[in-house]
């Protein structure tokens, strides 16, 4: 546990500005972050598909926690409701209906894992490198969390067209899913 | 808190998602990995929203959630179809386009 | 809306638009008219199959109400035009031109008693600080089109209930006919170019679907695709043109960076606030759209093929309404075209030339068709050319009037041809028709009326509108000049020649279809009342529609009956350019009538006298003289071949444009190879044989072969290795994609 605290404190120890260190938030971040990474890693490596779905739940819940930390409460609630409440259930149904995959997913060759890992590391390297280079020590200083009212204003005002587009997309996906999965 | 700690976490999740998409054979697992990628994107969006103290980032995170729902719906339908036709959802065995 | 317009009194440098937001209920609520068929489309789609008559009753009901509303709107517009002046509620727009000069409302005098269009808009969406509106602009041309489209569409719906009865996609047919009517009505009331674009594309889609109604046959689906793709070419022009205008208007207005509003665009263009070059570019782009949609030369090739669709579709879409969308668009944005192409005061411009050329080309092609619908299709092309030419010479009212009358007689002719084909189960005039006047008296009579109206003999509809166009060219200097916008003598000549050709090919068509002896099989019979009643209504309109716009100074009627159509349809407002009206002349009318009579006379002499005599001699019903001019004269034969192959335009597109230059290049290469290289090689070869024998064993076998074999082996090996990338496994592709994208992103970050 002490390692966790140490990790948490590290980003907060700002040697350049010596600004206020929000220890509690950083601790929370470290706990959530490490849990998410661990769960994500287990999710993509476990051979049991149902377990993978449960690990996904952990990652998604962690993301919701991060959203609360970032002051985006509405998004966090949506994340829990939609992702954990609906999408994961959908996944579980998918697993149940495709019985061939129920249970274990046997491993594939080393070559394939190596290739995937290589690409993953490459992606991480380039992204992380450019992020560190670009944002360095930019501070998050949010004065107040955003409210649902603000988001509603924004969606139904400025972003009404994308919103309508998304609703059409959802409808199309709904119909498409029905058509594709229909048994006759 | 630093902006970068969120962005880096999201980058790690993204990379893990990419690994999952590329390495797993099970169609459902590949879809889950895509969800992971989308979540990493969402974390990015919300972090920038907090960084700039602006709402649009969060709005787009919500849009991403909606798109993800659509994607899972169609994706799982396709996996079901695959399973019905081949009794198997192993993506490595689908190579009709082999040259 | 308020943000876009400011009231006239409130600001200096503002330009009156001649538009108001108040007016009669019918004028403000014209949006109901397109809405009704749109609702019926949805209704037919969802419930059509369950209704007793397969959904057709929904479409007919919707169009019936829409027609009623259109008539009310028309009457309301007429009283509005006469009584309402409402200057105090004029909308206007603040503008400065590219030199920074403010608009001078005094400099833009309205000619004659002003008309005030009624607009009703709502905000469609906002993006980037610009309000995009949707709404209706009700003025003369819109009201005229509303009436024309709803009436023709209703009649054709009624006709279709018989014509496509028993079709396997009966419901589908009516659903799309409804959608088409809705889109066309939306197009004519469009308040801005964006909305116009949407409606424009919608009618295109409906046209595509309906041409391919019987898509099981390859030809039909090919024709649908051809229509759609040819229209796409022009649509690009429309999109570019609309965008150019959007920013052009924005540049002239200090308070916004762009506007799609039609009235603003026109007002700014016709008051000289927009740079001429911009207008020229926009006009040329929009011209491309007109050329594809309204079948102008050289993008007209889709229109005859579009006859693959059911006949009611040809009548409604490809003769009476959709194809005039291009003409209507010119009429709507006339300020842009008038200024951009400098129509006033010249004797030639792009639009007049395209129109004039099309009208000739189409009329010539109509001569050689065997298929009765293709005759009418080329005739449509020719008449559309007439309208575009009229707009090109500045005869706006004449063009609109011709559009109006043409819709009736051409729909009548098309429906007549459908009635004939219904009876003989074919469209081929030469092999399956002839002598039908006895068995199909109603079709015969209405077809005759339509033909005479199209040929342009007084007093039928076509005569009045055609004559106005000819007068409008301003090229008639004889016996009291006509004074149009310029001296377009060339267009006058083209129009005259076309008038003669039109009369002649319609005579041929009538003879082949209705005279002589029946050449087909089976017993043809007259069609039922649901086909003949619409025919008679359209024929009746073809008879009388011409009286709507008796020419000014026509001494036989009181002045209150002259130029009624022009008075109510032509806008006299800030958003309309100041066109000069030509004065009609008796001498021109007489000469054009004589020309038409000459055309009929020549063709009648050929068919009714000589072919009929030859038929009697041969004892069978002939369709041409056994040794006619095409067999005797080389020039005539050449002309016939050229026309029969449609000027080789399709060959040009598929063979040369689409196939690139590979044909000629290949032939040239082949000839060079055969004649030059081969001989040279032969000669060289013979002398070299001896030397070659020596070389062969030493160099060729060892060095060259080794090299060639080696390079072959390398390519096989590398191919074998590269083949593995093409594994067909999605995840391998994804891996390559991810890796490549990441590497590229990294390079971008490092180097940019």
């Amino acid at each position: 546990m002490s390692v966790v605290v140490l990790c948490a404190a590290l980003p907060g120890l700002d040697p350049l500005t010596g600004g206020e260190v929000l220890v509690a938030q950083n601790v929370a971040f470290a706990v959530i972050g490490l849990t998410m990474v661990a769960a994500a890693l287990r999710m993509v490596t476990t051979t049991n598909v149902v377990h993978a779905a449960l690990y996904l739940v952990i990652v998604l819940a962690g993301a919701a926690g991060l959203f609360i930390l970032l002051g985006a409460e509405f998004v966090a609630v949506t994340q829990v409701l939609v992702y954990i409440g609906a999408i994961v259930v959908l996944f579980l149904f998918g697993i149940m209906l495709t019985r061939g995959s129920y249970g274990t997913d046997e491993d594939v060759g080393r070559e394939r894992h190596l290739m995937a890992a290589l690409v993953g590391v490459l992606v991480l390297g380039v992204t992380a490198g450019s992020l560190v280079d670009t944002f360095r020590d930019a501070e998050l200083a949010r004065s107040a969390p955003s409210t649902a009212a603000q988001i509603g204003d924004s969606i139904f005002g400025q972003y009404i067209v994308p919103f309508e587009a998304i609703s059409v997309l959802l409808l199309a996906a709904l119909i498409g899913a029905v058509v594709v999965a229909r048994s006759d | 808190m630093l902006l970068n700690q969120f962005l880096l976490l999201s980058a790690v999740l993204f990379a893990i998602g990419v690994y999952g998409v590329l390495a797993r054979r099970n169609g459902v697992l590949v879809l889950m990995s895509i969800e992971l990628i989308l979540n990493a994107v969402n974390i990015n969006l919300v972090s920038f929203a907090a960084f700039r103290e602006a709402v649009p980032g969060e709005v787009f995170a919500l849009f991403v959630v909606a798109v993800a729902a659509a994607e899972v719906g169609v994706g799982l339908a396709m996996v079901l179809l695959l399973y019905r036709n081949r009794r198997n959802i192993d993506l490595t065995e689908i190579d009709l386009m082999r040259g | 809306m308020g943000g876009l317009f400011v009231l006239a009194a409130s600001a200096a440098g503002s330009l009156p638009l001649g538009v108001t937001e108040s007016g009669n209920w019918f004028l403000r609520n014209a949006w109901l008219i397109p809405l009704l068929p749109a609702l019926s489309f949805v209704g037919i789609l969802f419930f059509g199959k369950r209704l007793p008559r397969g959904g057709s009753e929904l479409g007919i009901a919707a169009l019936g109400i829409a027609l009623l509303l259109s008539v009310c709107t028309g009457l309301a517009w007429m009283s509005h035009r006469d009584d309402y002046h409402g200057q105090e509620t004029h909308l206007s727009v603040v503008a400065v031109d590219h030199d920074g000069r403010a608009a001078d409302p005094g400099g833009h005098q309205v000619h004659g008693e002003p008309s005030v269009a009624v607009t009703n808009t709502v905000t469609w969406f906002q993006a980037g600080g610009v309000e995009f509106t949707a709404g209706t602009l009700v003025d003369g041309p819109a009201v005229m089109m509303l009436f024309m489209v709803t009436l023709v569409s209703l009649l054709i719906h009624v006709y279709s209930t018989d014509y496509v009865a028993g079709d396997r996609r009966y419901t589908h047919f009516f659903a799309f006919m409804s959608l088409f009517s809705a889109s066309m009505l939306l197009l004519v009331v469009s308040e801005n170019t964006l909305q116009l674009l949407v409606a424009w594309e919608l009618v295109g889609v409906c046209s595509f679907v309906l041409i391919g109604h019987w898509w099981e046959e390859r030809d039909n689906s090919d024709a649908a695709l051809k229509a759609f793709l040819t229209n796409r070419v022009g649509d690009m022009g429309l999109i570019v043109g609309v965008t150019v205008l959007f920013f052009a208007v924005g540049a002239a207005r200090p308070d916004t960076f762009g506007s799609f509003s039609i009235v603003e665009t026109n007002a700014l263009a016709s008051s000289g606030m927009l740079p001429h070059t911009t207008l020229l570019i926009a006009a040329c782009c929009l011209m491309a759209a007109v050329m594809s949609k309204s079948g102008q030369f050289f993008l007209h090739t889709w229109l005859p093929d579009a006859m693959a669709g059911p006949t009611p579709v040809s009548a409604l879409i490809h003769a009476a309404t959709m194809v005039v969308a291009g003409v209507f668009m010119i009429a709507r944005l006339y300020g842009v075209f008038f200024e951009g192409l400098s129509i006033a005061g010249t004797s030639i411009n792009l639009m007049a030339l395209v129109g004039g050329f099309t009208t000739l080309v189409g009329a010539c092609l109509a001569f050689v068709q065997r298929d009765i619908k293709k005759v009418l299709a080329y005739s449509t092309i020719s008449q559309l050319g007439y309208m575009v030419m009229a707009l090109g010479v500045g005869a706006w009212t004449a063009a609109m009037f011709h559009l109006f009358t043409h819709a009736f007689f051409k729909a009548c002719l098309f429906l007549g041809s459908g009635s004939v084909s219904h009876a003989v189960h074919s469209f081929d005039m030469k092999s399956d028709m002839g002598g039908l006047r006895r068995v199909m008296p109603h079709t015969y009579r209405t077809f005759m009326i339509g033909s005479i109206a199209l040929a342009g003999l007084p007093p039928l509809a076509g005569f009045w509108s055609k004559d106005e166009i000819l007068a409008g060219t301003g090229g008639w200097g004889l016996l009291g000049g006509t004074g149009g916008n310029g001296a377009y003598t060339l267009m006058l000549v083209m129009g005259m020649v076309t008038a003669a050709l039109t009369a002649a090919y319609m005579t041929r068509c009538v003879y082949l279809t209705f005279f002589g002896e029946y050449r087909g099989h089976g017993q043809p019979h007259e069609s039922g009342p649901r086909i003949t009643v619409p025919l008679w209504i359209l024929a009746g309109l073809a008879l009388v529609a011409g009286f709507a716009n008796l020419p000014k100074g026509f001494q036989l009627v009181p002045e209150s009956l002259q130029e009624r159509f022009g008075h109510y349809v032509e806008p006299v407002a800030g958003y309309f350019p100041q066109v000069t009206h030509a004065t009609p002349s008796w001498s021109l009318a007489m000469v054009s009538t004589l020309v038409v009579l000459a055309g009929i006379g020549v063709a009648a002499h050929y068919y009714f006298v000589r072919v009929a005599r030859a038929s009697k001699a041969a004892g069978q019903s002939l369709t041409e003289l056994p040794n006619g001019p095409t067999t005797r004269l080389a020039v005539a034969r050449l002309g016939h071949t050229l026309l029969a192959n449609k000027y080789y335009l399709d060959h040009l597109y598929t063979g040369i444009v689409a196939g690139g230059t590979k044909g000629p290049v290949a032939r040239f290469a082949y000839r060079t190879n055969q004649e030059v290289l081969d001989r040279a090689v032969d000669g060289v070869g013979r002398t070299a044989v001896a030397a070659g024998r020596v070389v062969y064993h030493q160099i060729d076998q060892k060095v060259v072969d080794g090299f060639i074999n080696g390079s072959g082996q390398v390519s096989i090996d590398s191919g074998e290795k590269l083949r593995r990338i093409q594994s067909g496994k999605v995840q391998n592709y994804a891996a390559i994609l991810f890796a490549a994208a990441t590497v590229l992103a990294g390079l971008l970050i490092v180097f940019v």
Side-chain angles (χ1 to χ4, degrees):
Chain A
M1 205 57 209
S2 60
V3 183
V4 173
V5 175
L6 191 63
C7 289
L10 270 174
L13 292 174
D14 194 336
L16 289 176
T17 59
E20 190 185 351
V21 181
L22 297 164
V23 179
Q25 287 190 8
N26 279 325
V27 170
F29 174 80
V31 173
I32 294 172
L34 287 178
T35 318
M36 280 173 82
V37 172
L41 280 174
R42 287 295 293 150
M43 189 200 101
V44 295
T45 49
T46 180
T47 50
N48 188 318
V49 187
V50 180
H51 287 182
L54 297 178
Y55 282 123
L56 182 63
V57 172
I58 297 179
V59 178
L60 297 174
L66 288 187
F67 294 157
I68 290 178
L69 267 186
L70 287 165
E73 285 151 11
F74 186 75
V75 185
V77 172
T78 314
Q79 170 92 0
V80 173
L81 286 179
V82 177
Y83 259 117
I84 304 174
I87 294 183
V88 171
V89 173
L90 208 57
F91 272 121
L92 290 173
F93 268 106
I95 293 165
M96 263 165 30
L97 289 172
T98 56
R99 230 170 313 165
S101 66
Y102 192 69
T104 57
D105 176 32
E106 70 275 28
D107 229 49
V108 278
R110 282 175 58 81
E111 196 190 345
R112 200 180 161 74
H113 273 292
L114 259 174
M115 172 199 74
L118 199 70
V119 175
V121 169
L122 187 66
V123 170
L124 179 61
V126 170
T127 335
S130 55
L131 283 177
V132 170
D133 187 44
T134 314
F135 293 106
R136 295 178 190 275
D137 302 311
E139 279 279 348
L140 275 178
R142 183 160 213 162
S143 45
S146 66
T147 63
Q150 282 174 314
I151 292 177
D153 268 352
S154 194
I155 288 183
F156 295 104
Q158 198 178 2
Y159 294 107
I160 184 72
V161 178
F163 174 76
E164 294 294 343
I166 294 256
S167 42
V168 173
L169 173 80
L170 275 175
L171 179 67
L174 181 73
I175 296 169
V178 170
V179 171
V180 169
R182 206 166 46 162
S183 52
D184 58 333
Chain B
M1 290 185 293
L2 295 181
L3 173 62
N4 248 343
Q5 67 196 57
F6 287 93
L7 298 188
L8 288 176
L9 175 62
S10 129
V12 171
L13 291 177
F14 189 92
I16 295 174
V18 168
Y19 169 82
V21 169
L22 300 183
R24 301 317 301 255
R25 300 171 54 173
N26 187 317
V28 177
L29 272 174
V30 170
L31 283 177
M32 285 188 199
S33 305
I34 293 176
E35 289 310 304
L36 204 57
I37 292 179
L38 289 173
N39 242 279
V41 171
N42 258 357
I43 294 175
N44 251 359
L45 282 170
V46 175
S47 317
F48 279 118
F51 179 59
R52 299 172 56 94
E53 300 209 43
V55 181
E58 294 176 26
V59 172
F60 274 86
L62 291 174
F63 288 159
V64 171
V65 172
V67 172
E71 172 255 322
V72 170
V74 178
L76 279 176
M78 282 162 65
V79 170
L80 271 184
L81 190 69
L82 206 61
Y83 176 72
R84 200 176 301 127
N85 288 335
R86 307 175 69 116
R87 295 278 126 193
N88 192 344
I89 53 170
D90 189 339
L91 295 185
T92 55
E93 286 178 18
I94 306 166
D95 52 3
L96 292 177
M97 293 205 305
R98 183 171 55 203
Chain C
M1 204 59 227
L4 283 178
F5 294 118
V6 284
L7 291 182
S10 67
S14 67
L15 208 60
L17 294 172
V19 174
T20 176
E21 280 177 341
S22 58
N24 190 292
W25 186 87
F26 286 110
L27 298 177
R28 277 181 291 110
N29 291 291
W31 52 272
L32 283 169
I33 299 172
L35 183 70
L36 282 167
L39 287 178
S40 110
F41 166 68
V42 177
I44 295 175
L45 213 56
F46 284 108
F47 312 109
K49 287 221 166 108
R50 279 179 236 152
L51 292 173
R53 314 204 65 141
S56 58
E57 64 267 65
L58 265 184
I60 291 174
L63 276 163
I65 303 172
L67 175 62
L68 210 63
L69 278 175
S70 301
V71 171
C72 292
T73 312
L75 294 174
W77 170 255
M78 284 160 101
S79 70
H80 176 89
R81 174 77 177 92
D82 286 335
D83 307 332
Y84 185 81
H85 307 296
Q87 264 75 2
E88 68 281 2
T89 51
H90 257 205
L91 296 169
S92 63
V93 60
V94 181
V96 284
D97 72 358
H98 46 292
D99 296 330
R101 276 181 294 118
D104 174 17
H108 184 67
Q109 290 298 336
V110 178
H111 46 292
E113 190 189 345
S115 69
V116 183
V118 179
T119 179
N120 181 8
T121 55
V122 292
T123 301
W124 182 6
F125 61 90
Q126 265 180 321
V130 177
E131 252 188 16
F132 294 90
T133 56
T136 58
L137 172 66
V138 178
D139 61 353
V143 165
M144 183 273 284
M145 290 293 283
L146 283 178
F147 171 70
M148 192 272 278
V149 173
T150 46
L151 177 63
V152 174
S153 186
L154 176 65
L155 291 176
I156 289 175
H157 268 73
V158 172
Y159 177 96
S160 307
T161 54
D162 193 348
Y163 191 85
V164 295
D167 192 273
R168 76 168 77 167
R169 281 188 290 276
Y170 187 82
T171 305
H172 167 274
F173 179 85
F174 278 96
F176 276 95
M177 289 289 265
S178 276
L179 180 63
F180 169 77
S181 310
S183 329
M184 190 66 204
L185 292 167
L186 179 71
L187 190 145
V188 303
V189 297
S190 284
E191 177 267 343
N192 57 61
T193 45
L194 194 61
Q195 195 181 341
L196 188 123
L197 181 68
V198 170
W200 181 280
E201 300 289 350
L202 270 174
V203 290
V205 169
C206 293
S207 155
F208 166 75
V209 170
L210 287 169
I211 294 171
H213 181 68
W214 294 310
W215 47 260
E216 287 87 350
E217 276 171 52
R218 184 63 196 261
D219 286 352
N220 297 351
S221 60
D222 279 355
L225 263 184
K226 183 174 180 181
F228 195 65
L229 293 179
T230 313
N231 271 306
R232 295 306 311 163
V233 175
D235 290 350
M236 283 323 291
L238 182 63
I239 292 171
V240 174
V242 162
T243 314
V244 167
L245 288 177
F246 174 80
F247 288 109
V249 173
R253 290 192 41 194
D255 52 339
T256 180
F257 71 85
S259 168
F260 284 114
S261 167
I262 287 175
V263 282
E264 280 177 39
T265 312
N266 272 336
L268 291 173
S270 32
S271 62
M273 300 299 290
L274 301 182
H276 182 261
T277 321
T278 315
L279 288 178
L280 180 62
I281 293 169
C284 289
C285 292
L286 295 175
M287 222 23 232
V290 174
M291 282 162 75
S292 67
K293 194 63 113 199
S294 289
Q296 298 297 297
F297 186 83
F298 49 95
L299 291 178
H300 65 274
T301 53
W302 68 272
L303 189 54
D305 286 20
M307 297 303 134
T311 308
V313 171
S314 308
L316 176 61
I317 300 183
H318 305 114
T321 59
M322 185 193 86
V323 290
V324 301
V327 178
F328 181 77
M329 193 264 283
I330 302 181
R332 255 289 175 250
L333 290 167
Y334 203 51
V336 174
F337 288 97
F338 198 77
E339 297 299 322
L341 296 174
S342 313
I343 285 171
T346 54
S347 61
I348 198 156
N349 63 54
L350 176 71
M351 198 198 295
L353 200 61
V354 166
F357 204 56
T358 307
T359 187
L360 269 180
V361 163
C364 290
L365 284 168
F367 264 106
V368 296
Q369 305 302 322
R370 292 172 67 99
D371 184 325
I372 185 169
K373 272 174 79 181
K374 292 226 163 135
V375 174
L376 297 176
Y378 281 113
S379 161
T380 305
I381 289 174
S382 168
Q383 296 301 311
L384 289 168
Y386 239 96
M387 297 172 208
V388 172
M389 183 179 87
L391 287 165
V393 301
W396 190 92
T397 310
M400 285 290 104
F401 188 43
H402 196 57
L403 191 163
F404 183 69
T405 57
H406 173 259
F408 298 132
F409 58 70
K410 190 50 70 62
C412 174
L413 287 174
F414 259 110
L415 296 187
S417 76
S419 170
V420 167
S421 74
H422 205 53
V424 305
H425 306 290
S426 164
F427 288 109
D428 196 323
M429 292 191 294
K430 288 200 170 179
S431 67
D432 298 313
M433 293 182 193
L436 292 172
R437 71 182 185 284
R438 283 183 293 274
V439 281
M440 305 182 75
H442 293 295
T443 309
Y444 165 64
R445 280 176 207 149
T446 51
F447 201 88
M448 280 304 281
I449 293 172
S451 302
I452 297 172
L454 170 60
L457 278 184
L460 272 69
F463 166 74
W464 303 101
S465 51
K466 181 201 67 184
D467 198 57
E468 249 182 73
I469 294 177
L470 293 178
T473 56
W476 185 253
L478 205 65
L479 303 170
T482 50
N485 289 279
Y488 290 92
T489 317
L490 177 63
M491 280 70 217
L492 177 68
V493 174
M494 284 172 157
M496 280 287 189
V497 174
T498 305
L501 290 174
T502 308
Y505 71 68
M506 281 321 290
T507 310
R508 168 180 179 267
C509 178
V510 166
Y511 177 81
L512 291 181
T513 312
F514 293 105
F515 289 87
E517 294 302 319
Y518 183 54
R519 295 179 290 274
H521 0 264
Q523 282 295 320
H525 53 88
E526 180 60 287
S527 310
R530 276 180 291 165
I531 284 182
T532 50
V533 168
L535 275 177
W536 272 112
I537 296 176
L538 286 169
L541 284 164
L543 275 173
V544 301
F547 302 128
N549 202 30
L550 295 170
K552 210 183 190 84
F554 186 66
Q555 290 89 340
L556 304 183
V557 295
E559 206 176 323
S560 58
L561 289 178
Q562 294 169 3
E563 280 220 307
R564 288 296 86 192
F565 185 89
H567 172 69
Y568 289 116
V569 172
E570 180 171 326
V572 185
Y575 67 89
F576 194 74
Q578 303 189 45
V579 297
T580 318
H581 294 92
T583 35
S585 95
W586 279 98
S587 55
L588 178 62
M590 282 171 191
V591 170
S592 79
T593 309
L594 285 179
V595 165
V596 168
L597 285 176
I600 295 179
V602 170
H605 176 68
Y606 181 79
Y607 284 104
F608 285 85
V609 179
R610 295 179 59 192
V611 175
R613 199 186 301 143
S615 303
K616 206 166 283 173
Q620 57 173 339
S621 183
L622 297 177
T623 57
E624 57 192 3
L625 285 181
N627 58 343
T630 52
T631 43
R632 276 183 290 128
L633 289 174
V635 178
R637 196 162 51 239
L638 198 69
H640 186 272
T641 316
L642 182 67
L643 289 175
N645 286 296
K646 306 175 229 167
Y647 302 111
Y648 293 97
L649 268 184
D650 277 338
H651 299 266
L652 176 76
Y653 294 155
T654 53
I656 297 174
V657 177
T661 49
K662 74 180 177 199
V665 167
R667 267 198 299 283
F668 176 73
Y670 178 71
R671 194 159 300 155
T672 318
N673 192 21
Q674 289 290 303
E675 287 167 13
V676 183
L677 289 181
D678 260 24
R679 268 178 221 157
V681 168
D682 261 20
V684 174
R686 272 168 235 269
T687 53
V689 165
R693 291 230 169 90
V694 183
V695 173
Y696 175 74
H697 295 288
Q698 299 306 317
I699 301 173
D700 191 80
Q701 286 293 296
K702 290 176 185 160
V703 181
V704 177
D705 261 23
F707 179 71
I708 299 220
N709 288 344
S711 62
Q713 195 57 47
V714 167
S715 57
I716 287 173
D717 286 352
S718 57
E720 195 57 39
K721 292 207 174 72
L722 282 173
R723 199 175 71 97
R724 289 173 57 198
I725 296 180
Q726 206 82 325
S727 59
K729 293 195 168 77
V730 185
Q731 282 165 313
N732 288 3
Y733 296 151
I736 295 166
L737 180 74
F738 266 112
T742 318
V743 169
L744 284 179
L747 288 178
L748 264 177
I749 290 165
V750 173
F751 291 111
V752 181

